[in-house]
Amino acid sequence: MSRLYDTIEPNVIDEKMLQKAVEEQGPQEELGQLAKREGIDYKDVIELQLDFRNLSFNNIEVIEGLEALVKLQDLSLYNNRISKIENLDTLQELQVFSIGNNNLTALENVVYLRKFKNLRTLNLTGNPVCENEQYSMFIAAHLPDLVYLDFRLVDENTRELADIKYQYVIDELKQGEAQALAKLVEEQAKQKELEHHKAAYVEYLNGPFLFESMYAEDTEAARLAYLPGMADLLETYKSKFVLICENLFAYGLKEHEKRQAEVSTFYECLQEAIQDSQKQGTKIILDFENDNQGLLDMIQNMSSFEIAESKLVKYNEDISQLSDTLMTLEMQTVDQLEEIIKDFERNIADQVSTFIENVQGMMAQCRDLENHHHEKLLEIAINTLEKIVKSEFDEEMPDDVRLLFVDKDTIVNAVNASHDIHLLKIDNREDDIVTKANSWSSSVIEEVHKNELNRNRNRVREINQYIDHLQEELDNMESLEQME
């Protein structure tokens, strides 16, 4: 059946459409204008309608572009041309979904909605899929937590019959979902573990990854592997190389924990010093306020101008003294925190320096192994060439490998090229670790200084604002005295 909007160009859910929709559907006009001026944080949107907006949001054919709406609870895509429910994975808080009057034809597509555990209301009216005689039963069985379907309560009788009818299908589906969930949990655990390894700069060093990466880009390695005795030589080289990598991996994780502990201890000491300063500052202010409680009211009620004036002068001096005391305390705090920060800088610098030194030592061991392997490989290659020249080499060798032995330069160049690639891989991995360790050290120290600068500025501002407040009260009192 033809519909009016079938003749209109399809719409695409993009940034412009979302922005327009949110602006128009804001709870208050001024909020919509604010969103227009300052931009929209789509993570805050909980309800969105992309339907019946004078055809402005109709004719959507594909669900897409909604990934940022992670808190969305109510979504309407009513009266469009959508043929598949998809691309909603991030909308895990979805409770109400209206997608009626679209082109959905496959009952199986509804199974996609099982991942939305909070979904309670679903509207599919006006879709071809609703004409299927199994429609209600299928939905009730596959979405057991659904309360309302097509504006009607899902009755218990329908749900019970659906459970019986689709029991085996649902059991098989649950089994598949459980396996998928277990796999997801396993992958997430692996990713978390990998992130931990990356934070320690030793990712993929707990195995043969670095060794295999050296040979993955070595175009000569496959041919050189055919040389006599290479299998045993490579196996020995690999086992020793991987052992060094694994030692480096274990050392890196241990040093990472030390660095994290150092950072944690530092912030505990820093916070303790700041809190102690805050307590002292609070006590100084409370003592001042207690000493001068009711003073201004008393001055205002004094009959003697001279006495009142002397009291005001004394109060002004007390305010100045309070300002000096609070600023002195802050300067002492700054000095104390600077010492704590200097100690932290030294400790971090020592830790990172020691870490880098040991990493470089282990990488030097890897290079030594590579150099030793290269010498052995070159020796085998030269011996093989001499045997071939003397027609004393009777072993089978592929034609492309024999091409390496046309002369000495060719085989030596091939062995050296392989060696250079291996050394470059080792050097690059070492540089990567050193660069990241130094970068972390610099960024941590920079952040500490930045935070302390901001803390000091905020504290001085607080003191000045408090003193200004007291001074304003005093100025108002002096003005009243002069008027009287």
Side-chain angles (χ1 to χ4, degrees):
M1 181 176 69
S2 175
R3 289 186 279 187
L4 172 64
Y5 55 75
D6 287 340
T7 60
I8 303 174
E9 284 296 316
N11 254 324
V12 177
I13 304 175
D14 56 15
E15 183 85 9
K16 184 177 179 181
M17 177 185 285
L18 290 182
Q19 182 171 347
K20 183 179 179 184
V22 173
E23 288 172 3
E24 291 185 4
Q25 296 170 40
Q28 299 175 13
E29 184 178 349
E30 55 269 24
L31 292 181
Q33 292 301 318
L34 181 65
K36 194 170 186 178
R37 289 196 308 271
E38 300 184 5
I40 298 166
D41 187 349
Y42 294 113
K43 293 180 180 179
D44 295 332
V45 178
I46 61 173
E47 182 177 343
L48 187 66
Q49 292 181 290
L50 298 177
D51 60 356
F52 284 131
R53 308 296 295 184
N54 297 322
L55 297 181
S56 62
F57 299 148
N58 297 129
N59 295 310
I60 296 169
E61 291 188 340
V62 177
I63 302 174
E64 60 185 354
L66 303 177
E67 295 82 5
L69 303 172
V70 293
K71 291 187 179 179
L72 199 66
Q73 298 175 3
D74 189 332
L75 173 62
S76 178
L77 293 167
Y78 193 80
N79 208 54
N80 283 285
R81 290 153 53 171
I82 298 167
S83 58
K84 185 178 181 181
I85 303 173
E86 60 183 344
N87 300 326
L88 299 174
D89 293 29
T90 60
L91 279 57
Q92 288 301 308
E93 296 190 20
L94 192 63
Q95 299 177 17
V96 179
F97 184 36
S98 177
I99 192 169
N101 272 25
N102 276 276
N103 297 332
L104 301 175
T105 58
L107 268 177
E108 291 72 22
N109 186 207
V110 178
V111 177
Y112 173 81
L113 296 175
R114 283 176 62 87
K115 65 180 62 184
F116 304 102
K117 304 305 179 183
N118 297 315
L119 186 64
R120 298 294 179 267
T121 300
L122 175 64
N123 174 31
L124 294 166
T125 55
N127 281 284
V129 71
C130 300
E131 299 172 8
N132 190 307
E133 61 181 14
Q134 304 299 325
Y135 169 70
S136 297
M137 285 278 196
F138 187 93
I139 301 293
H142 287 80
L143 303 178
D145 295 321
L146 199 65
V147 179
Y148 295 98
L149 174 62
D150 299 339
F151 310 109
R152 293 183 180 180
L153 186 69
V154 180
D155 64 87
E156 288 304 315
N157 184 51
T158 300
R159 203 182 301 278
E160 290 175 4
L161 292 174
D163 288 344
I164 295 172
K165 180 178 179 63
Y166 290 95
Q167 178 182 353
Y168 296 110
V169 174
I170 298 299
D171 286 346
E172 187 175 343
L173 188 60
K174 286 181 178 179
Q175 184 178 0
E177 289 172 342
Q179 291 174 347
L181 178 60
K183 184 178 180 180
L184 176 62
V185 170
E186 181 182 0
E187 289 175 352
Q188 289 175 339
K190 287 181 179 179
Q191 184 60 35
K192 184 178 180 181
E193 185 179 43
L194 177 59
E195 292 303 318
H196 179 59
H197 297 169
K198 286 182 177 180
Y201 323 125
V202 292
E203 67 274 16
Y204 302 121
L205 288 177
N206 54 333
F209 179 84
L210 179 57
F211 183 87
E212 291 171 354
S213 71
M214 295 191 311
Y215 283 85
E217 298 178 16
D218 181 0
T219 56
E220 302 294 349
R223 293 199 289 178
L224 294 173
Y226 281 96
L227 297 183
M230 278 300 297
D232 292 340
L233 185 65
L234 270 174
E235 186 59 37
T236 301
Y237 176 33
K238 180 178 180 179
S239 62
K240 291 180 178 180
F241 191 97
V242 172
L243 180 59
I244 294 173
C245 289
E246 290 174 342
N247 290 338
L248 175 53
F249 175 80
Y251 172 72
L253 290 183
K254 184 176 69 175
E255 288 300 300
H256 173 64
E257 294 302 323
K258 285 184 180 180
R259 291 192 296 272
Q260 293 302 105
E262 181 64 34
V263 172
S264 179
T265 301
F266 161 72
Y267 276 109
E268 287 176 6
C269 294
L270 196 72
Q271 195 59 35
E272 184 179 338
I274 292 172
Q275 289 176 352
D276 183 59
S277 176
Q278 289 172 341
K279 288 179 181 178
Q280 291 184 55
T282 300
K283 184 179 184 305
I284 291 169
I285 291 173
L286 286 176
D287 289 344
F288 171 85
E289 291 178 347
N290 290 333
D291 291 342
N292 295 280
Q293 188 173 17
L295 177 62
L296 295 181
D297 290 338
M298 182 179 68
I299 292 173
Q300 190 173 6
N301 294 324
M302 281 183 175
S303 57
S304 172
F305 175 79
E306 289 78 8
I307 297 176
E309 181 67 21
S310 66
K311 291 287 186 182
L312 287 172
V313 170
K314 177 64 168 61
Y315 186 52
N316 187 40
E317 292 173 353
D318 289 346
I319 292 174
S320 297
Q321 180 61 43
L322 174 64
S323 177
D324 292 342
T325 302
L326 290 175
M327 287 300 184
T328 299
L329 175 61
E330 175 56 21
M331 290 173 63
Q332 292 172 347
T333 302
V334 169
D335 291 341
Q336 182 184 6
L337 296 183
E338 280 185 358
E339 287 301 317
I340 295 174
I341 291 172
K342 285 179 181 177
D343 287 342
F344 176 64
E345 284 190 71
R346 283 192 293 269
N347 292 342
I348 288 296
D350 289 344
Q351 283 191 351
V352 171
S353 176
T354 301
F355 171 70
I356 289 175
E357 183 179 339
N358 286 324
V359 167
Q360 291 172 332
M362 293 183 192
M363 285 300 185
Q365 293 176 33
C366 290
R367 275 188 287 271
D368 289 343
L369 280 177
E370 169 58 30
N371 290 332
H372 178 72
H373 175 74
H374 171 251
E375 291 172 2
K376 290 291 185 182
L377 175 56
L378 190 59
E379 182 182 337
I380 291 174
I382 298 299
N383 289 338
T384 302
L385 176 63
E386 291 175 353
K387 288 182 179 180
I388 291 176
V389 170
K390 296 177 181 178
S391 300
E392 297 176 357
F393 189 81
D394 298 327
E395 298 182 31
E396 288 293 327
M397 185 182 290
D399 292 340
D400 63 329
V401 178
R402 281 193 176 272
L403 289 175
L404 293 174
F405 294 93
V406 292
D407 55 45
K408 185 176 181 179
D409 287 344
T410 302
I411 186 60
V412 170
N413 288 340
V415 173
N416 286 342
S418 176
H419 180 50
D420 290 342
I421 289 174
H422 298 176
L423 288 178
L424 181 61
K425 277 288 182 181
I426 296 170
D427 291 346
N428 287 344
R429 191 67 177 94
E430 179 183 328
D431 290 343
D432 179 65
I433 296 174
V434 171
T435 300
K436 287 179 178 177
N438 282 326
S439 176
W440 173 83
S441 176
S442 298
S443 64
V444 166
I445 299 303
E446 182 181 349
E447 184 69 17
V448 166
H449 284 289
K450 179 182 175 182
N451 290 341
E452 169 52 17
L453 180 62
N454 290 334
R455 184 209 64 80
N456 174 245
R457 286 176 175 173
N458 290 335
R459 182 54 181 161
V460 170
R461 188 182 301 113
E462 288 173 359
I463 294 172
N464 286 333
Q465 287 174 346
Y466 181 68
I467 296 301
D468 288 345
H469 170 69
L470 295 177
Q471 195 65 53
E472 185 179 353
E473 286 185 334
L474 178 61
D475 291 344
N476 290 337
M477 182 57 64
E478 288 177 338
S479 298
L480 288 173
E481 285 295 315
Q482 291 172 3
M483 289 175 61
E484 293 177 355

